[in-house]
Amino acid sequence: MQPPRRKRVLARLAAVLDAIGDAIPVFVVLASGFLLLYGLLVVLLSSGILTGAVVVVALAFALRRPAAAGSGLLRAGAALLPDGAGARYAEEWCGEFYDLRSDGARWWMRLAYVAGVLGRAVPVLAVTLRLSRARAVD
Amino acid sequence: MVDMPRLTPQTVEVLRALLAQPATPRWGRDIGREVGLKSGTLHPILARLEQAGVLESFWEEPGRHENQGRPRRRYYRFTTGGAQAARLALAEQSHRERAFRPSPQFGY
């Protein structure tokens, strides 16, 4: 004999509530873990620990391989230029950086070269080349 | 077609350095050393002159830099008519400077 329809619905509802009840602790654990990691990341970023760690790693790499670090920075700067110009200037600046090293320039001169290119040439060229391209299109 | 850009004092120095030997291609660091400009200032000037049609640039022949075991250089030289346009612009600028230079006058 089949139980009445009402009882069957109530049994189904009870099963669903049981399943939800089982899932809630898992969800709570996962959500609190995510929030904990997120909070940790926020604290690290706001306290500057992560930034400091990145800077320390970058400095260690730069001190160990200054030529590669300088060329890498120049290439990264040139990548901000509109396409076509980026590859050209990356090669040109890396060539000049190489000449600077082979001329026996001291580390601060090489650093000044990289800083000058990144601080002045890249922003000015990025604007100039984009503006001229826009004018050519108009 | 040459469309001379605004002549800043640094641009004038670069043009003068290039006009000393107009037929000789020069590379960026060589020009910068002569004029006393850092690469950060020099390259935007060269790019503006290149866009204006005053200068043209080209990569060094592979034979030269491969023999010396160094990366290739980008050379800059005047276009046809670029040197003449640069001379005219420099002459106009110096004429203008002379014309507007205030002469000392008595008064007050």
Side-chain angles (χ1 to χ4, degrees), chain A residues 74-75 78-91 93 129:
Chain A
L74 291 172
R75 282 182 200 285
L80 299 175
L81 302 179
D83 42 19
R88 173 207 151 163
Y89 280 105
E91 191 171 352
W93 291 334
L129 296 176

Short mmCIF file of all heavy atoms in Angstrom, two decimals, chain A residues 74-75 78-91 93 129:
data_model
loop_
_atom_site.label_atom_id
_atom_site.label_comp_id
_atom_site.label_asym_id
_atom_site.label_seq_id
_atom_site.Cartn_x
_atom_site.Cartn_y
_atom_site.Cartn_z
N LEU A 74 64.04 47.44 -19.96
CA LEU A 74 63.93 48.21 -21.21
C LEU A 74 62.90 47.58 -22.14
O LEU A 74 62.10 48.27 -22.77
CB LEU A 74 65.29 48.29 -21.91
CG LEU A 74 66.34 49.15 -21.19
CD1 LEU A 74 67.70 49.00 -21.85
CD2 LEU A 74 65.92 50.61 -21.19
N ARG A 75 62.92 46.24 -22.21
CA ARG A 75 61.94 45.55 -23.06
C ARG A 75 60.52 45.75 -22.53
O ARG A 75 59.59 45.94 -23.31
CB ARG A 75 62.26 44.05 -23.11
CG ARG A 75 63.39 43.72 -24.03
CD ARG A 75 63.65 42.23 -24.11
NE ARG A 75 64.99 41.99 -24.60
CZ ARG A 75 65.36 42.13 -25.85
NH1 ARG A 75 64.48 42.51 -26.74
NH2 ARG A 75 66.61 41.92 -26.23
N ALA A 78 59.48 49.20 -23.48
CA ALA A 78 59.18 49.31 -24.91
C ALA A 78 57.87 48.63 -25.27
O ALA A 78 57.21 49.00 -26.24
CB ALA A 78 60.32 48.71 -25.73
N ALA A 79 57.49 47.65 -24.45
CA ALA A 79 56.23 46.95 -24.72
C ALA A 79 55.02 47.87 -24.55
O ALA A 79 53.94 47.55 -25.02
CB ALA A 79 56.09 45.74 -23.79
N LEU A 80 55.21 48.99 -23.86
CA LEU A 80 54.11 49.94 -23.68
C LEU A 80 53.87 50.79 -24.92
O LEU A 80 52.87 51.49 -25.01
CB LEU A 80 54.39 50.86 -22.48
CG LEU A 80 54.53 50.16 -21.13
CD1 LEU A 80 54.93 51.17 -20.06
CD2 LEU A 80 53.21 49.51 -20.75
N LEU A 81 54.84 50.77 -25.84
CA LEU A 81 54.69 51.58 -27.06
C LEU A 81 53.74 50.87 -28.03
O LEU A 81 53.55 49.66 -27.94
CB LEU A 81 56.05 51.78 -27.72
CG LEU A 81 57.10 52.45 -26.85
CD1 LEU A 81 58.42 52.59 -27.59
CD2 LEU A 81 56.63 53.82 -26.38
N PRO A 82 53.15 51.63 -28.95
CA PRO A 82 52.23 50.99 -29.91
C PRO A 82 52.96 49.92 -30.72
O PRO A 82 54.18 50.02 -30.93
CB PRO A 82 51.80 52.14 -30.81
CG PRO A 82 52.31 53.37 -30.25
CD PRO A 82 53.23 53.08 -29.13
N ASP A 83 52.22 48.91 -31.13
CA ASP A 83 52.88 47.75 -31.76
C ASP A 83 53.67 48.14 -33.01
O ASP A 83 53.30 49.02 -33.75
CB ASP A 83 51.86 46.66 -32.10
CG ASP A 83 50.59 47.24 -32.68
OD1 ASP A 83 50.63 48.41 -33.13
OD2 ASP A 83 49.58 46.56 -32.66
N GLY A 84 54.78 47.44 -33.17
CA GLY A 84 55.70 47.80 -34.25
C GLY A 84 56.83 48.62 -33.67
O GLY A 84 57.99 48.24 -33.76
N ALA A 85 56.48 49.73 -33.02
CA ALA A 85 57.49 50.59 -32.40
C ALA A 85 58.10 49.90 -31.20
O ALA A 85 59.29 50.08 -30.91
CB ALA A 85 56.86 51.91 -31.99
N GLY A 86 57.33 49.08 -30.51
CA GLY A 86 57.82 48.43 -29.29
C GLY A 86 59.03 47.55 -29.58
O GLY A 86 60.05 47.67 -28.91
N ALA A 87 58.92 46.68 -30.59
CA ALA A 87 60.02 45.76 -30.92
C ALA A 87 61.25 46.55 -31.37
O ALA A 87 62.38 46.24 -31.00
CB ALA A 87 59.56 44.81 -32.01
N ARG A 88 61.01 47.60 -32.16
CA ARG A 88 62.11 48.39 -32.69
C ARG A 88 62.88 49.09 -31.57
O ARG A 88 64.10 49.01 -31.48
CB ARG A 88 61.55 49.42 -33.67
CG ARG A 88 62.59 50.40 -34.13
CD ARG A 88 62.00 51.72 -34.51
NE ARG A 88 62.96 52.77 -34.30
CZ ARG A 88 62.86 53.96 -34.82
NH1 ARG A 88 61.86 54.25 -35.59
NH2 ARG A 88 63.77 54.87 -34.56
N TYR A 89 62.13 49.77 -30.67
CA TYR A 89 62.81 50.50 -29.60
C TYR A 89 63.44 49.56 -28.58
O TYR A 89 64.47 49.88 -28.00
CB TYR A 89 61.86 51.50 -28.95
CG TYR A 89 61.72 52.76 -29.76
CD1 TYR A 89 60.59 53.02 -30.52
CD2 TYR A 89 62.77 53.69 -29.82
CE1 TYR A 89 60.48 54.16 -31.29
CE2 TYR A 89 62.67 54.82 -30.58
CZ TYR A 89 61.52 55.06 -31.32
OH TYR A 89 61.44 56.19 -32.10
N ALA A 90 62.81 48.40 -28.35
CA ALA A 90 63.39 47.43 -27.42
C ALA A 90 64.78 47.03 -27.91
O ALA A 90 65.74 47.02 -27.14
CB ALA A 90 62.48 46.21 -27.31
N GLU A 91 64.88 46.74 -29.19
CA GLU A 91 66.18 46.32 -29.74
C GLU A 91 67.19 47.47 -29.73
O GLU A 91 68.35 47.29 -29.40
CB GLU A 91 65.98 45.80 -31.17
CG GLU A 91 67.21 45.12 -31.70
CD GLU A 91 66.99 44.41 -33.01
OE1 GLU A 91 65.83 44.30 -33.46
OE2 GLU A 91 68.00 43.96 -33.59
N TRP A 93 67.25 50.17 -27.73
CA TRP A 93 67.68 50.51 -26.37
C TRP A 93 68.54 49.41 -25.77
O TRP A 93 69.50 49.71 -25.06
CB TRP A 93 66.45 50.78 -25.49
CG TRP A 93 65.73 52.03 -25.86
CD1 TRP A 93 66.27 53.12 -26.48
CD2 TRP A 93 64.34 52.33 -25.68
NE1 TRP A 93 65.29 54.07 -26.69
CE2 TRP A 93 64.10 53.62 -26.20
CE3 TRP A 93 63.27 51.64 -25.12
CZ2 TRP A 93 62.85 54.23 -26.18
CZ3 TRP A 93 62.03 52.24 -25.09
CH2 TRP A 93 61.82 53.52 -25.61
N LEU A 129 53.69 58.73 -30.47
CA LEU A 129 53.42 57.76 -31.53
C LEU A 129 51.92 57.48 -31.67
O LEU A 129 51.42 57.33 -32.78
CB LEU A 129 54.17 56.45 -31.26
CG LEU A 129 55.70 56.57 -31.28
CD1 LEU A 129 56.34 55.25 -30.91
CD2 LEU A 129 56.20 57.02 -32.64
#
